[in-house]
Amino acid sequence: KAMSWMLDVFLFLSLVITLEAEGVEIGTLPDEQHQISGTLHVLDSTTLYIEDFNYDGGGPGAYLYYYAPGQTVSSSGGGVKIPLPSEFGQSDGSFKTSRYRDVDITVTMPEGTDVCDIGTLTVWCQPFKAIFTRIEIPRSIFVNDGSDPCTVKNSAVVTPLPPEFDNCITLHETLQLSWRVHNDSSTVRFRLCGCQSINSDNNQYMGFGLSGSTSATLMFGADPTIAWVDDTDGPQAVDYYLSAYTQCRAGSGACPDEMDSSGSCTNDIIDVTGAVTDGQQCVSFTRQFNTSDSTCDI
């Protein structure tokens, strides 16, 4: 029964998550040549993500190419190539000579380097010594202004599994769930960790829960837990029940169990702990497998 309950947990992912999904957005790529466009994101210290990338493919020997912070950007070269993944690039890591239309490209930095090494990112054509686009990566996106170690604010990388938990799953690229079933199998301890939006306050909500259906993802009738770290009251985790596709009003809709119109529902989340560290909030809490709340808990 415990395993069935755990599997059901992942059928529902709350839509109240307000955390950024794309790490830090740097900006749009300007079109200097060959109809280049797209939006650059930094996902973590070693990963770049170009969203909706467009390029006419007209420049042979074109590379994703970077110059160090403070280095003069020159079409003659002097920078470092970042090889493209095989599905988007040629065998030498350069762009294919074919059109790219609204493709999303995730690129890993070369071994021994990280995003902190980039001052300006370009698409550079080696044979013709031409720059097709360029964009600066500001130092402000890094913790400690880009000094070693390289840590990106709002990084999409989630903290490693702590020793007190022996299971984990990534619910979203910026949201990780860890859990451990207690020895008596009557309760389970959860931990939600999510990356906060850059330059934002606390009070950003995370959520996950049981689907309202045993065979599909269904918001209606779902039993989620909503967690956050409050600026004043610290870590919070609240038992919710979704009785309608609306905000909570008069005990109906997406309501905390204690506000349900039946008057018989209870908040069955206990032992709540958590904190915000380096732009990442983590909240841990415990819940029974079988609560006394038959109306609002699954």
Side-chain angles (χ1 to χ4, degrees):
K1 184 174 182 180
M3 180 59 69
S4 175
W5 193 92
M6 291 303 301
L7 291 174
D8 287 344
V9 166
F10 306 119
L11 293 176
F12 170 80
L13 174 60
S14 172
L15 299 180
V16 301
I17 298 170
T18 59
L19 306 177
E20 293 292 334
E22 298 91 7
V24 181
E25 180 177 319
I26 303 303
T28 56
L29 301 175
D31 176 24
E32 297 187 25
Q33 295 187 54
H34 291 289
Q35 301 174 31
I36 284 183
S37 65
T39 303
L40 176 66
H41 304 261
V42 173
L43 295 187
D44 58 48
S45 61
T46 59
T47 313
L48 301 171
Y49 171 67
I50 306 176
E51 181 182 14
D52 294 334
F53 179 71
N54 289 277
Y55 168 49
D56 67 9
Y63 292 87
L64 202 59
Y65 196 75
Y66 75 85
Y67 298 80
Q71 182 181 3
T72 299
V73 177
S74 170
S75 59
S76 297
V80 179
K81 297 175 182 177
I82 305 177
L84 292 170
S86 59
E87 61 266 39
F88 297 110
Q90 302 192 83
S91 59
D92 63 352
S94 64
F95 284 95
K96 297 177 180 179
T97 53
S98 57
R99 181 174 292 275
Y100 293 72
R101 294 182 183 272
D102 296 324
V103 297
D104 297 332
I105 304 176
T106 301
V107 180
T108 301
M109 293 291 293
E111 185 174 356
T113 66
D114 53 43
V115 176
C116 292
D117 296 325
I118 303 176
T120 303
L121 183 71
T122 73
V123 173
W124 176 67
C125 177
Q126 186 173 25
F128 291 95
K129 300 295 188 286
I131 293 175
F132 297 164
T133 187
R134 73 189 77 192
I135 186 169
E136 293 186 2
I137 295 187
R139 301 294 91 190
S140 60
I141 73 165
F142 302 110
V143 176
N144 300 325
D145 197 29
S147 61
D148 189 44
C150 180
T151 305
V152 180
K153 296 177 182 177
N154 191 34
S155 169
V157 173
V158 185
T159 52
L161 186 68
E164 63 179 302
F165 300 97
D166 51 14
N167 301 280
C168 69
I169 190 171
T170 299
L171 297 175
H172 190 272
E173 61 185 355
T174 57
L175 183 66
Q176 184 185 59
L177 173 70
S178 309
W179 74 94
R180 182 171 188 168
V181 178
H182 290 162
N183 290 336
D184 62 3
S185 297
S186 64
T187 58
V188 59
R189 182 76 171 166
F190 293 106
R191 183 179 191 249
L192 274 174
C193 283
C195 300
Q196 290 193 314
S197 301
I198 190 169
N199 298 327
S200 64
D201 298 326
N202 293 336
N203 304 323
Q204 297 184 63
Y205 297 88
M206 305 178 289
F208 89 102
L210 283 75
S211 171
S213 167
T214 59
S215 59
T217 301
L218 182 63
M219 191 171 178
F220 179 76
D223 179 16
T225 297
I226 309 303
W228 71 100
V229 178
D230 188 86
D231 285 328
T232 302
D233 299 323
Q236 307 289 314
V238 178
D239 198 358
Y240 268 66
Y241 179 66
L242 309 185
S243 60
Y245 295 105
T246 61
Q247 293 184 342
C248 185
R249 178 176 297 179
S252 178
C255 295
D257 283 13
E258 293 178 327
M259 295 177 61
D260 186 76
S261 58
S262 68
S264 61
C265 299
T266 56
N267 181 16
D268 293 296
I269 305 301
I270 60 173
D271 298 334
V272 180
T273 61
V276 176
T277 305
D278 293 333
Q280 182 181 78
Q281 65 172 353
C282 292
V283 178
S284 300
F285 53 91
T286 299
R287 189 196 134 138
Q288 292 181 323
F289 279 107
N290 297 306
T291 70
S292 58
D293 185 351
S294 60
T295 302
C296 294
D297 286 345
I298 296 175

